[in-house]
């Protein structure tokens, strides 16, 4: 493997002491490549999985020219250019039961949505505008050729890709696969992620809280976010701030996972100790990302014990619960999507909104405040959730978006426009 650190230090704008958020994200995405390994699954099991090979359509969809509406099937050339036309009703075409005759001059058949268009028919007149008098049908003026008809192959063509590899399959794609009569597809294997929390103060659920201790919440938020992203999560529990224990945990994780996520132990006071250890076990870049929350973060690779495994990418996230979630959204989520084979990795959806409260902003960094969106007079507005400390996990629970205060931005006045990133549905 080429040296990550070499790659990074050659990159433009690489300042390990103050890396811009966008640059850090780009560097990570560029370094990673999708996991290798496919499996074939039934169509329903493919939901939320990443397609490994193009789905080639074996048929035209629709397979035949058909009606888009309930109405009357007519030959456009039979219609008078002005005024009404009287046609003779000679039968009915149902969906799945075609009219087995020919529509001749001056004739029409009743036709249902989805029914095959009889030969020579090139126009469907909706039933609401036609008038039936005995076995005659009166068609008003103003019809157009091809109206209310659907052509064979207008949706998908036989032999052409219907869905491209790299697509994360949503209900729409599941429906398309079914519409082609395909029962199984090839998807990439799930990304395996090992995670553990570090910190002697951490206490697990079921144990009484000792003085000065906190319950480990990061493993649970991380488990939730990774599960939502479709990863196989290997939860390795809490590892104490002890060199031997941490080394064993890193080695075990690198032997079984594509990525390792840790929380805690990368802040200034602790960094040296873990930094040394990570550097010894692999290649790790320590980043001071110019952001709040989430400034310290480690990114790199941990090599496995034996040479038969490729090792794992490492994301050493900060310990503060909000910083964990913010760095996950900003860096780990796109990284997981890249590893999972999603192509292209989508940008974080963002749009402008009016901020109804003034906010302070530090210089020279990007800030991610937690916000709540609402509508006022048809306009999207946002207000911060209140206390924005990086330990206040409640702010993440109340929020539905990040208010992004960009690197160059100074303070925000009440009523100013800000960019918000929508969290809903992302993890
Ligand atoms: P650290 O980055 O290890 O210095 O931790 C920063 C802060 O986050 C400290 O207040 C820790 O107690 C807290 N913290 C670290 N890990 C966790 C965790 N897994 N769950 C909840 N809080 C944590
Ligand atoms: Mg710690």
């Amino acid at each position: 493997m080429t040296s990550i650190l070499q790659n990074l230090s050659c990159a433009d704008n690489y300042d390990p002491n103050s890396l811009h958020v966008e640059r850090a994200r780009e560097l990570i995405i560029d370094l990673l490549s999708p996991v290798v390994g496919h499996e074939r699954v039934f169509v329903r099991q493919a939901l939320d999985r990443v397609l490994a090979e193009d789905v080639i359509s074996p048929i035209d969809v629709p397979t035949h020219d058909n009606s888009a509406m309930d109405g009357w099937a007519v030959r456009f050339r039979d219609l008078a250019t002005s005024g009404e036309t009287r046609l003779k009703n000679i039968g009915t075409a149902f969906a799945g039961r075609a009219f087995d005759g020919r529509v001749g001059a001056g004739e029409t058949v009743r036709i249902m949505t989805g029914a095959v268009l009889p030969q020579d028919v090139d126009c469907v007149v909706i039933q609401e505008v036609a008038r039936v008098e005995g076995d005659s049908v009166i068609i008003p003026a103003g019809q157009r050729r091809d109206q209310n008809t659907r052509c064979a192959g207008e949706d998908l063509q036989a032999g052409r890709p219907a869905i491209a590899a790299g697509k994360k399959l949503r209900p729409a794609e599941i429906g398309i696969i079914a519409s082609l009569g395909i029962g199984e597809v090839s998807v990439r294997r799930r990304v395996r992620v090992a995670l553990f929390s570090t910190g002697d103060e951490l206490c697990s659920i079921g144990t009484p809280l000792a003085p000065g201790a906190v319950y480990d919440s990061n493993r649970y938020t991380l488990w939730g976010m990774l599960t939502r992203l479709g990863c196989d999560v290997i939860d390795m529990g809490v590892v104490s701030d002890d060199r031997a224990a941490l080394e064993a945990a890193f080695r075990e994780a690198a032997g079984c996972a594509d990525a390792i996520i840790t929380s805690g132990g990368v802040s200034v006071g602790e960094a040296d100790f873990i930094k040394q250890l990570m550097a010894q076990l692999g290649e790790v870049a320590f980043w001071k990302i110019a952001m709040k929350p989430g400034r310290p973060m480690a990114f790199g690779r941990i090599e496995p014990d034996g040479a038969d495994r490729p090792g794992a990418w490492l994301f050493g996230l900060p310990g503060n619960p909000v910083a964990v979630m913010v760095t996950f959204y900003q860096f780990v989520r796109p990284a997981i999507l890249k590893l999972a084979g999603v192509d292209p990795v989508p940008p974080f959806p963002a749009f402008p909104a009016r901020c109804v409260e003034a906010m302070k902003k530090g210089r020279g960094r990007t800030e991610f405040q937690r916000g709540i969106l609402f509508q006022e007079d048809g306009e999207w507005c946002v207000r911060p959730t209140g206390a924005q400390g990086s330990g206040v996990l409640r702010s993440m629970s109340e929020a539905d978006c990040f208010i992004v205060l960009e690197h160059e931005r100074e303070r925000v006045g009440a009523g100013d426009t800000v960019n918000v990133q929508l969290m809903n549905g992302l993890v």
Side-chain angles (χ1 to χ4, degrees):
M1 192 191 67
T2 53
S3 162
I4 298 168
L5 297 176
Q6 247 170 28
N7 275 349
L8 289 181
S9 50
C10 295
D12 291 344
N13 316 330
Y14 176 65
D15 175 357
N17 289 314
S18 179
L19 202 56
H20 282 221
V21 170
E22 296 75 22
R23 192 69 192 121
R25 192 186 293 130
E26 270 171 26
L27 289 171
I28 294 173
I29 299 294
D30 287 351
L31 276 168
L32 304 187
S33 44
V35 297
V36 176
H38 300 174
E39 55 179 319
R40 286 190 75 75
V41 295
F42 293 124
V43 57
R44 284 201 178 97
Q45 264 116 47
L47 184 64
D48 287 335
R49 301 295 299 270
V50 180
L51 195 62
E53 290 162 7
D54 291 354
V55 170
I56 306 293
S57 182
I59 53 173
D60 280 338
V61 178
T63 46
H64 47 263
D65 296 347
N66 70 98
S67 177
M69 300 290 277
D70 290 346
W72 297 94
V74 306
R75 307 178 341 157
F76 184 73
R77 62 185 179 283
D78 290 350
L79 302 180
T81 43
S82 63
E84 295 183 332
T85 307
R86 178 177 290 263
L87 299 172
K88 182 159 184 267
N89 175 8
I90 59 160
T92 306
F94 296 96
R97 190 143 47 91
F99 172 71
D100 65 352
R102 271 190 94 123
V103 177
E107 294 177 340
T108 182
V109 296
R110 176 130 171 74
I111 192 161
M112 306 304 174
T113 305
V116 176
L117 289 188
Q119 204 181 333
D120 291 341
V121 163
D122 56 359
C123 175
V124 171
V125 178
I126 56 170
Q127 60 189 15
E128 289 81 357
V129 303
R131 207 166 71 245
V132 178
E133 288 177 4
D135 65 356
S136 291
V137 183
I138 319 298
I139 305 292
Q143 310 305 320
R144 283 172 296 106
R145 189 191 298 279
D146 296 329
Q147 73 184 14
N148 306 317
T149 64
R150 306 189 281 217
C151 296
E154 76 174 25
D155 190 357
L156 303 167
Q157 290 94 51
R160 304 271 297 272
I163 312 172
K167 185 92 179 173
K168 188 160 186 176
L169 302 172
R170 301 166 304 169
E173 287 79 31
I174 298 298
I176 289 180
I177 294 165
S179 78
L180 300 176
I182 294 176
E184 282 182 14
V185 288
S186 178
V187 296
R188 285 209 191 247
R189 73 163 172 80
R190 294 180 186 278
V191 177
R192 287 191 280 270
V193 183
L195 69 94
F196 56 87
S197 300
T198 70
D200 288 338
E201 77 281 28
L202 299 180
C203 181
S204 293
I205 298 175
T207 347
L209 213 50
V214 292
Y215 282 117
D216 173 10
S217 59
N218 290 344
R219 249 179 339 118
Y220 291 82
T221 44
L222 285 167
W223 168 85
M225 294 191 285
L226 291 165
T227 301
R228 282 274 179 91
L229 286 179
C231 299
D232 276 338
V233 183
I234 304 155
D235 183 345
M236 297 176 58
V238 176
V239 178
S240 61
D241 291 324
D242 165 79
R243 196 182 170 93
L246 282 166
E247 179 169 346
F250 277 124
R251 286 202 190 279
E252 186 190 334
C256 65
D258 302 301
I260 305 169
I261 300 181
T262 64
S263 75
V266 293
S267 59
V268 178
E270 302 164 306
D272 286 347
F273 156 68
I274 289 206
K275 190 174 175 175
Q276 262 180 9
L277 178 61
M278 288 175 173
Q280 181 201 319
L281 299 177
E283 262 197 290
V284 178
F286 259 83
W287 286 350
K288 293 196 179 100
I289 299 180
M291 68 187 286
K292 187 187 172 189
R295 184 157 186 259
M297 192 179 112
F299 169 69
R301 283 189 70 81
I302 299 289
E303 301 306 335
D305 251 343
D308 53 334
R309 292 265 321 164
W313 294 101
L314 171 72
F315 296 88
L317 306 186
N320 272 310
V322 177
V324 164
M325 294 197 78
V326 171
T327 47
F328 189 97
Y329 271 99
Q330 302 301 328
F331 307 111
V332 183
R333 176 181 178 271
I336 296 284
L337 294 179
K338 179 84 185 267
L339 288 174
V342 174
D343 185 25
V345 174
F348 209 142
F351 64 92
R354 187 162 61 83
C355 188
V356 295
E357 283 178 28
M359 284 183 294
K360 286 210 221 78
K361 156 78 170 59
R363 278 176 178 277
R365 66 184 184 208
T366 305
E367 293 188 8
F368 297 93
Q369 307 242 359
R370 275 71 69 206
I372 300 167
L373 282 163
F374 59 97
Q375 275 199 310
E376 205 170 68
D377 301 329
E379 185 190 16
W380 280 108
C381 300
V382 66
R383 67 182 152 77
T385 53
Q388 294 281 329
S390 60
V392 186
L393 195 51
R394 184 165 51 83
S395 71
M396 281 300 295
S397 172
E398 287 173 359
D400 50 18
C401 67
F402 289 119
I403 304 172
V404 186
L405 304 180
E406 290 87 358
H407 199 92
E408 314 303 338
R409 176 145 201 163
E410 302 199 336
R411 69 181 300 284
V412 173
D416 286 358
T417 299
V418 290
N419 281 317
V420 297
Q421 293 176 326
L422 213 50
M423 292 177 196
N424 282 352
L426 286 196
V427 295

